[in-house]
């Protein structure tokens, strides 16, 4: 019998994000933090509150490493952090939706020219 994975065990990883992550040359600690954060909001459709202390404990990182990774991820356009509430938004969904809306706008323009 094949064991089915739970839906919450999946997350979205586009080729663009994969390439961005690989060229960013993340450290092992940054990879652990990225995995932790992306698991909180796998599809970028709801955002998620989290406790930085819990993240640092689970990922085995120091405070300075956490804040450096957070700044790096924001600069790379991977996550948007809302300070004060410690909420993170995975920006992949936003990027994909804008790409698809651009595709549909281009199709509409092409169809209207015909």
């Amino acid at each position: 019998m094949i064991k089915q994975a739970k839906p919450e065990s999946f997350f979205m990883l586009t080729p663009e994000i994969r390439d961005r992550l690989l060229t960013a040359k993340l450290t092992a600690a940054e990879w652990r933090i990225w995995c932790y954060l992306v698991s909180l909001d796998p599809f970028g459709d709801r955002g998620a509150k989290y406790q930085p202390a819990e993240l640092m404990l689970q990922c085995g990182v120091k405070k300075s490493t956490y804040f450096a990774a957070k700044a790096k991820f924001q600069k790379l356009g991977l996550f948007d952090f809302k300070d004060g509430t410690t909420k993170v938004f995975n920006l992949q969904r936003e990027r994909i939706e804008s790409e698809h809306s651009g595709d549909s706008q281009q199709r509409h323009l092409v169809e209207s020219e015909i």
Side-chain angles (χ1 to χ4, degrees), residues 7-111:
E8 63 270 9
S9 65
F10 294 97
F11 62 89
M12 185 173 9
L13 181 63
T14 64
E16 177 194 356
I17 296 299
R18 177 207 57 212
D19 294 344
R20 190 177 305 170
L21 288 166
L22 293 174
T23 58
K25 300 190 185 312
L26 301 179
T27 65
E30 289 168 339
W31 276 110
R32 289 192 306 271
I33 294 169
W34 179 83
C35 288
Y36 185 93
L37 291 172
V38 81
S39 70
L40 296 175
D41 185 21
F43 297 100
D45 59 346
R46 56 191 160 100
K49 289 185 181 182
Y50 69 98
Q51 297 296 322
E54 178 66 23
L55 178 149
M56 289 182 266
L57 180 66
Q58 291 291 319
C59 296
V61 298
K62 297 177 185 176
K63 194 181 231 184
S64 59
T65 304
Y66 162 70
F67 283 107
K70 186 176 161 183
K72 188 173 191 175
F73 295 150
Q74 188 123 11
K75 184 178 179 182
L76 289 169
L78 298 171
F79 296 104
D80 185 23
F81 296 90
K82 301 295 182 195
D83 290 326
T85 60
T86 319
K87 192 166 188 175
V88 63
F89 292 88
N90 182 348
L91 295 178
Q92 284 196 77
R93 181 182 183 94
E94 189 175 286
R95 187 172 291 106
I96 288 171
E97 286 177 353
S98 68
E99 288 173 5
H100 287 295
S101 67
D103 291 344
S104 64
Q105 288 173 355
Q106 286 179 338
R107 272 191 227 114
H108 180 68
L109 287 173
V110 170
E111 290 171 358

